[in-house]
Amino acid sequence: MSGNASPPRPAAADLRADCSQCFALCCAAPAFAKSADFAINKPAGQPCPNLKDDFRCGIHDRLRESGFPGCVVFDCSGAGQKVAQVTFGGRDWRSHPETAREMFEVFSVMRQLHELTAYLLECLDLNPNDGETSAALDAIVAVTYGKPAEVLTADVAKYRQRVNELTTRASKKVRRGGGVDMRGKDLMGASLKGADLRGASLRGAYLIGADLRNADLRLADVIGADFRNANLRGANLTTSIFLTQQQLDAASGDGRTKIPERLHLPPHWNVGGGG
Ligand code: SF4
């Protein structure tokens, strides 16, 4: 890490994509496999053919109908603008092609570090005086301000393990041991309409296509749960723990779905519609 001063902890806005400050890293760095989410195969490190020279998407206003719903729900957790403006100081990969490969690799690591940062910030919200969480958070934030080589050599697996320990501890404390334990369960397509899931552990559960209409998920731990195409119409997630915007974006819901204040109802939800 360069310099001695501790870098600032990010605000919530710093952990959300700001495409205006990025060089479309998510449209160039990762590989896509042709699927329900992407209409084409795209190798890693190669710009999407829909990407324009000004780093804007040529089909931005018709992504879903063009077969790219995966782009609609993708959020880099603010890694894009961090890499573009901080790590690489505003030098873009088109004007400086010699930086492209390293920039794309840094983006992949940065995204993981930002995700871990968001979880630790929520841990501190849940348990403000936890010194171990503060130390882990500051260590990860420091790496995100490092030079490219420092980011690339970060031991992400070690950080992930530590974050797992700290989020598990915070979760147990907040849930007070209550709720059903459905960690990692295969609940794909499950009928959970109106279910009382208060305080449940749904860590890493597969809820793809599950019917969660009017379910009560307050204080449920949903870290890493897969909500793709889950039906959250009328569900209560106001105090769900470790819920991310990306999880909401991947699900369906409506104006009756209750979510934490820090998140927003996805634009593609039928807000105001019935369930
Ligand atoms: S379709 Fe648009 S948003 Fe998706 S990767 Fe291509 S340029 Fe980016």
Side-chain angles (χ1 to χ4, degrees):
M1 180 64 209
S2 311
N4 295 319
S6 295
R9 288 179 182 173
D14 299 324
L15 298 173
R16 283 196 296 269
D18 180 354
C19 302
S20 70
Q21 297 299 310
C22 181
F23 306 130
L25 294 174
C26 64
C27 304
F32 302 160
K34 189 172 179 179
S35 62
D37 287 328
F38 300 104
I40 56 169
N41 286 315
K42 184 190 89 59
Q46 187 171 307
C48 170
N50 297 316
L51 186 64
K52 299 195 295 180
D53 289 345
D54 62 359
F55 298 114
R56 291 174 191 273
C57 172
I59 58 168
H60 178 72
D61 55 354
R62 53 182 193 285
L63 281 167
R64 282 185 184 278
E65 50 271 50
S66 301
F68 290 85
C71 299
V72 178
V73 302
F74 181 86
D75 191 295
C76 68
S77 301
Q81 66 260 31
K82 173 72 78 61
V83 172
Q85 303 301 333
V86 177
T87 319
F88 286 86
R91 282 173 298 146
D92 73 75
W93 52 268
R94 281 204 205 278
S95 309
H96 302 272
E98 73 282 1
T99 66
R101 184 171 172 184
E102 187 175 51
M103 193 181 298
F104 297 159
E105 289 173 354
V106 169
F107 173 67
S108 171
V109 177
M110 189 70 80
R111 187 169 175 232
Q112 297 176 67
L113 295 173
H114 271 220
E115 286 171 354
L116 297 177
T117 298
Y119 286 137
L120 289 180
L121 282 171
E122 186 166 347
C123 272
L124 277 184
D125 281 347
L126 298 171
N127 192 7
N129 299 317
D130 191 311
E132 288 183 63
T133 300
S134 287
L137 172 62
D138 290 337
I140 293 176
V141 170
V143 174
T144 70
Y145 280 89
K147 295 184 187 313
E150 292 170 309
V151 177
L152 289 174
T153 54
D155 191 341
V156 177
K158 188 183 85 178
Y159 289 132
R160 193 173 290 284
Q161 171 66 27
R162 187 66 180 134
V163 170
N164 185 43
E165 292 164 4
L166 293 166
T167 56
T168 300
R169 192 169 77 190
S171 170
K172 280 185 180 159
K173 187 172 181 199
V174 171
R175 294 186 298 113
R176 299 182 200 94
V180 289
D181 187 351
M182 299 166 106
R183 274 175 297 174
K185 281 222 164 156
D186 182 351
L187 298 166
M188 285 194 265
S191 178
L192 294 164
K193 184 179 178 184
D196 182 358
L197 296 171
R198 283 177 296 175
S201 177
L202 289 161
R203 295 175 79 92
Y206 297 94
L207 289 155
I208 302 165
D211 183 358
L212 286 157
R213 282 176 293 170
N214 301 319
D216 192 343
L217 289 139
R218 285 176 291 174
L219 289 181
D221 181 347
V222 299
I223 194 167
D226 193 335
F227 281 101
R228 278 178 291 167
N229 297 318
N231 190 339
L232 294 173
R233 289 177 174 81
N236 190 343
L237 300 110
T238 42
T239 54
S240 296
I241 305 167
F242 305 123
L243 180 67
T244 67
Q245 188 61 48
Q246 200 158 2
Q247 285 172 311
L248 287 181
D249 290 345
S252 61
D254 61 16
R256 297 175 301 120
T257 309
K258 298 185 180 70
I259 62 171
E261 281 184 13
R262 63 189 166 78
L263 304 178
H264 61 265
L265 295 176
H268 66 276
W269 284 14
N270 181 25
V271 173

